[in-house]
Amino acid sequence: MATNRRISRVAELIKREVSQMLLHGIKDDRVGTGMVSVTFVDVSGDLQHAKVYVSIYGTEEAKSETMAGLKSATGFVRSELGSRVRLRRTPEVIFIEDDSIERGTKVLSLLNKLEDERSLDSLTVDGNTMAEDDEL
């Protein structure tokens, strides 16, 4: 069983290497249809499994094509990791779509919308108050 420090170091190393493979190594055209970035890598305690969370920017069709391309490239990614990373056993790689960036963008847009509505409400309330003060 590996220590937490080693697990996190291996996860960061896998994240860096898979990111490089997404830029230069994977030749599948489906992977290039959406803008792909690795957001997080979760490595099991025995270093045998690695869940690679990827964020894909684009339409739903581009996302599904990109995920299909990544799933078909798992063998290539694992073999490349085996040659690039010095581990006793190369972990099984599983790609998982991460939509946390999109959810965060939605939350921020909702918060901005609420802030705009509140500022408009405060302006109308202040405007009414100022008009009433002028009458007195």
Side-chain angles (χ1 to χ4, degrees):
M1 196 66 136
T3 63
N4 287 337
R5 183 173 177 222
R6 178 146 193 245
I7 291 171
S8 64
R9 284 178 36 212
V10 168
E12 282 299 314
L13 186 60
I14 290 173
K15 180 180 176 182
R16 185 176 345 129
E17 293 300 328
V18 171
S19 295
Q20 287 297 318
M21 281 184 246
L22 287 174
L23 288 175
H24 304 293
I26 298 176
K27 302 284 191 241
D28 194 342
D29 290 337
R30 295 177 291 180
V31 176
T33 57
M35 192 171 75
V36 183
S37 63
V38 178
T39 56
F40 182 69
V41 174
D42 184 26
V43 179
S44 65
D46 59 356
L47 303 175
Q48 295 297 307
H49 302 281
K51 294 179 185 175
V52 180
Y53 293 88
V54 292
S55 176
I56 305 167
Y57 183 75
T59 64
E60 288 299 320
E61 181 182 323
K63 288 180 184 181
S64 63
E65 284 183 24
T66 303
M67 283 306 294
L70 287 173
K71 289 192 192 287
S72 70
T74 54
F76 170 76
V77 170
R78 185 173 185 217
S79 65
E80 280 293 308
L81 276 176
S83 65
R84 294 181 183 194
V85 179
R86 293 217 170 257
L87 291 173
R88 187 171 296 161
R89 292 186 186 210
T90 305
E92 292 284 332
V93 177
I94 301 167
F95 286 103
I96 300 173
E97 186 177 355
D98 184 16
D99 62 346
S100 62
I101 293 175
E102 290 177 4
R103 285 186 283 137
T105 304
K106 282 183 183 177
V107 169
L108 284 175
S109 67
L110 287 174
L111 288 173
N112 288 336
K113 184 178 176 183
L114 281 173
E115 184 179 354
D116 291 343
E117 288 176 1
R118 285 186 178 169
S119 65
L120 287 175
D121 288 343
S122 67
L123 285 176
T124 56
V125 169
D126 290 343
N128 289 340
T129 305
M130 292 178 81
E132 291 171 3
D133 289 343
D134 291 341
E135 292 175 4
L136 293 175

